Amino acid sequence: MARSSSEPRGRVKKWLIRGVKIGLVGFLSAAIAVVVAVAIAYQSLPDYESLKSSPNGQMIRVHAADGSVIVSLGPSFGRWLSYDQIPTVMVDAMVSTEDKRYYLHPGVDPIGMARAAWVAMERRGSGRRWQGASTITQQVTRNIFLNNSYSWGRKVREMVLALALERKFSKRQILELYLNKVYFGGGAYGIDAASRKFFGHPATALNLPEAAIVAGLVKAPSSYSPTADADAAIGRAGVVLDLMQENGKISAAERTAANLQDVKMAPEPPQNSVRYFTDWALPQLDTLIDEPNEPLEVYTTIDLGMQKAATAAIQANVPSGTQGALVSLDRDGAVRAMVGGLDYVSSNYNRATTATRQPGSAWKIFVYMAALEAGYTPDTGVTDSPVDINGWKPRNSNGRFSGDIDIRTAFAYSVNTVAAKLGVEVGFPTVADMARRFGVTTPINTHPSMVLGTSDVRLIDMTRAFASIARKGVAVTPYGITKVTTAEGRVLYEHQDDTSRVLVAPWVAAGMTDLMQTAVSTGTGRAAQIGRPVAGKTGTTSSNKDGWFLGFSSGITTGVWMGRDDARAVGVLQGGRAPARAFADYMKIAVAKRPVEQFETQVTLPEWQLEPDEEAYYGQPDGGTDGGMMVDENGLPIERGQQPDEDAQPDDSGQPTPNPADRPQPPRLDQQWIDNVLGRNRQQQQPQH
């Protein structure tokens, strides 16, 4: 019996020994395989400088004229910080939160892996996510070499690369890589980008509460982002501070003193109308600098107070169903405000810089400047009488002729027959050349009707032309970027004003200013008056499809356009109405802090007090023996009685019948409205008694 019982025990012992041997062989084989894999991975790793380079894109932060950030574009990468530049509290917060045994393990954490394996067994088949066991080193390898897919194969490759990374680089180097590359949400990669985005200062200035907030973002950037949920971010930061105290990185007193409620978050920049400006300005970087990789700080000309006033002025004055645009230039061409439409979110089409529309009588500035350059003066006599240019018979919209008048009167009341005669006198190609000189970039026709504005133009080009007149004939080029630097402050570009190009003699610009003052003081542009000298011109096109007002005062030149995107008629739209009112509403705020500037030529009243022309240059037939005629947008004859637009019903004057109910009522323009636009609280400004 004893012999029979000993035989099974011997067999069991034999199998145990065999199993141990197989296990040892398997373990040694696996160890050798890991060593070989790590060695191969070690040889394939790039050098440290290559790992530092980021292939993810370029960060561009755009600043307003006052230095505030108005928009950040692209993945947000701040300045690369060496390990010695990173605040110790930031390093301690990240290690305590993400990998408390970081300085003890060789790249992978066996204790953390065992815990994760146990949790994985418990959650198998439940659909719940496995508990993470990745070390900081593993996260670095995943961010640089791998992806975030959940699979055993990816996990094995991640561990092998982590072991190799720790053999090739120091713990400090790996931490430097991690802190400069990890994603913190909101488009921010790296602690410097996160610090600038969330707190408005470089990461070198991070304090303990701020470092805790940043460290808490890594676990779930979208859930704990301060800009998305400040309470969640602060709650998570409290957990980070507790972990730092638990790991001995801060004392209990420091934990108590770290007041997360006192942390000041950087305000989110505006994202609506100012985007019309940034969409126009930023593509110019390609021609200004050659820096495709480094983060850029772009300083611009936009004035946020003026931009706010411009948006309010357009929205308050556009007729129902129409769009509006505004461009405002400082005396050197700096764009201070740009509105490309009523709402950027619903339509990002920039009507201020891209749309081409007929300018109507606003085009007459080129006709009259050509005449002034040819020897005419504001006091030169002309005759308002019927005109026939090869069958084209332009009409004044009031249906009358005033006989002998002077140039000033003709311009003030936008007399079409005089503009046509001046075009014949100086030559239509000369008028086109004048427009080209002053910055019109769109095609210009030289048909007789071109003197009345039948060539399509851009609002920014027309505003540029008026600004050049305001600058006494010196060319003005609109610009939006004043300076470009790297994140470290290295200057890549700085704008220089060019005053070398003189377009017309100063006396020609002065004469044109004389005419435009009169147009605002007593002519078609009276609605643009703002209580200080203004020079400007209205413009309205066929069947009231486009309304314009452009003018300048106290060094600011502003152009306003209104109309429908489909170019259909708008019954209540004339340049001297809604566009002129929008100009006045905006300019009262834009120049409020500027000294009043008198023009070199004082206002002179026209010699005839005519009824102001409403600018519609295709009016009633002339009533001659031939029964008269009307012309279309190209100045070509159309049959008597034919309507310019099938949806526009003319009244007895030949203009579409205005319907005041179609136009939204603007807000009352009083001191309270101005204070609201400027963001002032007058109650706080009242003296204390």
Side-chain angles (χ1 to χ4, degrees):
M1 292 292 295
R3 183 178 178 183
S4 62
S5 62
S6 64
E7 287 181 358
R9 287 197 296 270
R11 286 197 295 270
V12 170
K13 183 177 180 180
K14 183 186 298 183
W15 281 107
L16 285 174
I17 294 173
R18 182 177 298 177
V20 169
K21 289 180 179 179
I22 293 173
L24 287 174
V25 171
F27 175 79
L28 290 174
S29 300
I32 293 172
V34 169
V35 170
V36 172
V38 170
I40 294 173
Y42 178 93
Q43 295 297 327
S44 65
L45 287 175
D47 59 34
Y48 193 70
E49 289 301 317
S50 298
L51 292 179
K52 286 172 61 176
S53 64
S54 174
N56 295 313
Q58 186 176 37
M59 171 195 175
I60 300 176
R61 292 205 314 166
V62 186
H63 300 258
D66 62 1
S68 61
V69 177
I70 55 177
V71 66
S72 295
L73 302 175
S76 178
F77 295 90
R79 187 166 64 92
W80 187 278
L81 301 181
S82 67
Y83 182 86
D84 293 333
Q85 293 175 305
I86 301 171
T88 302
V89 291
M90 186 69 248
V91 175
D92 291 342
M94 194 65 76
V95 171
S96 297
T97 305
E98 292 298 309
D99 189 0
K100 64 181 181 181
R101 286 182 290 275
Y102 174 72
Y103 296 103
L104 303 176
H105 61 66
V108 295
D109 183 4
I111 298 175
M113 290 174 61
R115 184 185 65 250
W118 178 259
V119 172
M121 291 291 293
E122 286 186 330
R123 296 181 179 177
R124 184 176 55 183
S126 66
R128 298 169 63 190
R129 180 174 168 177
W130 299 348
Q131 181 174 339
S134 294
T135 64
I136 285 177
T137 311
Q138 288 176 263
Q139 292 183 52
V140 170
T141 61
R142 186 191 313 145
N143 290 339
I144 297 177
F145 303 111
L146 304 172
N147 54 48
N148 290 318
S149 64
Y150 290 95
S151 67
W152 286 109
R154 194 271 294 167
K155 198 69 177 178
V156 170
R157 292 195 298 273
E158 178 186 293
M159 290 189 289
V160 169
L161 285 168
L163 291 168
L165 205 66
E166 292 250 1
R167 304 287 75 72
K168 190 163 188 174
F169 304 112
S170 68
K171 292 282 188 181
R172 288 163 59 106
Q173 286 178 310
I174 294 170
L175 269 176
E176 180 182 320
L177 281 172
Y178 179 70
L179 290 168
N180 282 284
K181 281 184 171 290
V182 69
Y183 182 60
F184 292 99
Y189 290 82
I191 56 171
D192 192 57
S195 179
R196 292 175 188 273
K197 177 176 179 60
F198 300 127
F199 311 121
H201 60 69
T204 52
L206 284 169
N207 57 34
L208 176 58
E210 291 172 341
I213 290 175
V214 172
L217 298 175
V218 178
K219 180 178 180 181
S222 60
S223 300
Y224 297 124
S225 172
T227 56
D229 190 339
D231 291 338
I234 290 174
R236 173 63 179 165
V239 175
V240 174
L241 291 174
D242 292 339
L243 289 172
M244 293 179 72
Q245 181 183 348
E246 180 183 319
N247 294 331
K249 299 301 182 182
I250 59 174
S251 65
E254 288 174 317
R255 170 66 181 91
T256 303
N259 192 339
L260 296 168
Q261 300 295 334
D262 289 343
V263 175
K264 293 183 178 179
M265 302 293 181
E268 281 288 282
Q271 293 290 316
N272 197 347
S273 68
V274 75
R275 289 298 302 273
Y276 288 115
F277 169 77
T278 56
D279 286 355
W280 169 76
L282 290 181
Q284 300 169 28
L285 287 173
D286 291 339
T287 61
L288 300 179
I289 62 171
D290 183 18
E291 177 49 69
N293 297 316
E294 284 199 57
L296 300 179
E297 303 286 345
V298 180
Y299 296 88
T300 71
T301 59
I302 202 74
D303 183 298
L304 294 181
M306 295 169 72
Q307 179 70 22
K308 184 178 180 180
T311 302
I314 291 296
Q315 292 178 344
N317 287 281
V318 291
S320 178
T322 66
Q323 278 285 352
L326 181 150
V327 174
S328 188
L329 307 178
D330 217 323
R331 62 181 82 246
D332 66 342
V335 177
R336 298 303 183 191
M338 177 181 288
V339 179
L342 293 181
D343 181 65
Y344 181 87
V345 175
S346 60
S347 172
N348 61 13
Y349 179 61
N350 195 335
R351 298 156 186 85
T353 61
T354 305
T356 58
R357 304 294 289 254
Q358 291 184 355
S361 290
W363 180 267
K364 290 177 183 175
I365 62 165
F366 304 123
V367 179
Y368 279 81
M369 276 196 293
L372 292 171
E373 194 172 59
Y376 284 80
T377 71
D379 298 312
T380 299
V382 290
T383 301
D384 176 17
S385 61
V387 177
D388 187 338
I389 305 174
N390 298 325
W392 178 61
K393 299 179 181 180
R395 291 285 299 156
N396 302 320
S397 70
N398 59 18
R400 301 198 304 266
F401 301 106
S402 302
D404 293 335
I405 55 176
D406 58 25
I407 288 289
R408 182 179 291 107
T409 303
F411 187 85
Y413 297 113
S414 201
V415 178
N416 293 324
T417 58
V418 172
K421 290 180 179 180
L422 292 176
V424 173
E425 182 71 21
V426 301
F428 303 118
T430 302
V431 175
D433 175 70
M434 184 65 69
R436 279 276 178 259
R437 258 193 269 174
F438 274 77
V440 174
T441 56
T442 46
I444 303 172
N445 71 64
T446 54
H447 303 310
S449 61
M450 64 92 70
V451 298
L452 304 182
T454 58
S455 295
D456 289 344
V457 294
R458 296 183 178 92
L459 175 60
I460 194 169
D461 287 351
M462 290 295 292
T463 309
R464 172 186 186 180
F466 277 74
S468 298
I469 297 172
R471 209 180 190 187
K472 302 177 182 179
V474 176
V476 169
T477 301
Y479 72 96
I481 298 174
T482 58
K483 184 172 66 172
V484 182
T485 71
T486 64
E488 297 179 344
R490 180 167 58 91
V491 177
L492 302 176
Y493 166 81
E494 197 156 11
H495 176 78
Q496 300 293 329
D497 189 19
D498 179 11
T499 60
S500 63
R501 292 180 57 237
V502 179
L503 306 177
V504 292
W507 56 267
V508 174
M512 197 68 239
T513 302
D514 180 334
L515 300 182
M516 289 195 290
Q517 283 184 90
T518 307
V520 174
S521 297
T522 189
T524 59
R526 288 181 296 181
Q529 296 173 7
I530 61 173
R532 61 172 68 197
V534 175
K537 184 70 182 76
T538 58
T540 309
T541 61
S542 176
S543 301
N544 301 65
K545 294 177 181 178
D546 302 272
W548 300 70
F549 187 87
L550 303 103
F552 48 85
S553 178
S554 303
I556 295 292
T557 302
T558 299
V560 176
W561 167 87
M562 294 180 184
R564 288 174 58 102
D565 286 338
D566 59 8
R568 296 177 67 181
V570 182
V572 295
L573 183 61
Q574 285 93 30
R577 296 184 181 179
R581 285 193 291 263
F583 172 91
D585 288 354
Y586 164 73
M587 288 290 283
K588 286 175 183 176
I589 296 170
V591 303
K593 297 180 181 179
R594 295 184 175 225
V596 176
E597 296 182 16
Q598 300 293 336
F599 297 123
E600 291 183 359
T601 57
Q602 297 301 312
V603 174
T604 303
L605 294 179
E607 61 185 44
W608 294 92
Q609 292 300 308
L610 304 175
E611 188 68 25
D613 188 341
E614 290 288 6
E615 295 294 322
Y617 55 82
Y618 307 123
Q620 284 287 336
D622 62 9
T625 57
D626 61 354
M629 69 173 59
M630 297 177 68
V631 293
D632 62 15
E633 291 88 334
N634 298 312
L636 301 175
I638 61 177
E639 294 181 6
R640 182 182 176 93
Q642 179 181 344
Q643 297 297 329
D645 188 287
E646 61 182 10
D647 294 329
Q649 298 299 322
D651 57 19
D652 292 339
S653 67
Q655 294 296 326
T657 303
N659 183 2
D662 289 339
R663 179 180 177 273
Q665 293 300 311
R668 181 179 178 183
L669 186 60
D670 54 16
Q671 187 62 51
Q672 181 179 357
W673 184 86
I674 294 175
D675 291 340
N676 289 337
V677 173
L678 290 177
R680 298 188 305 206
N681 187 338
R682 293 186 67 84
Q683 293 181 352
Q684 295 178 359
Q685 298 174 5
Q686 297 299 323
Q688 300 295 321
H689 298 288

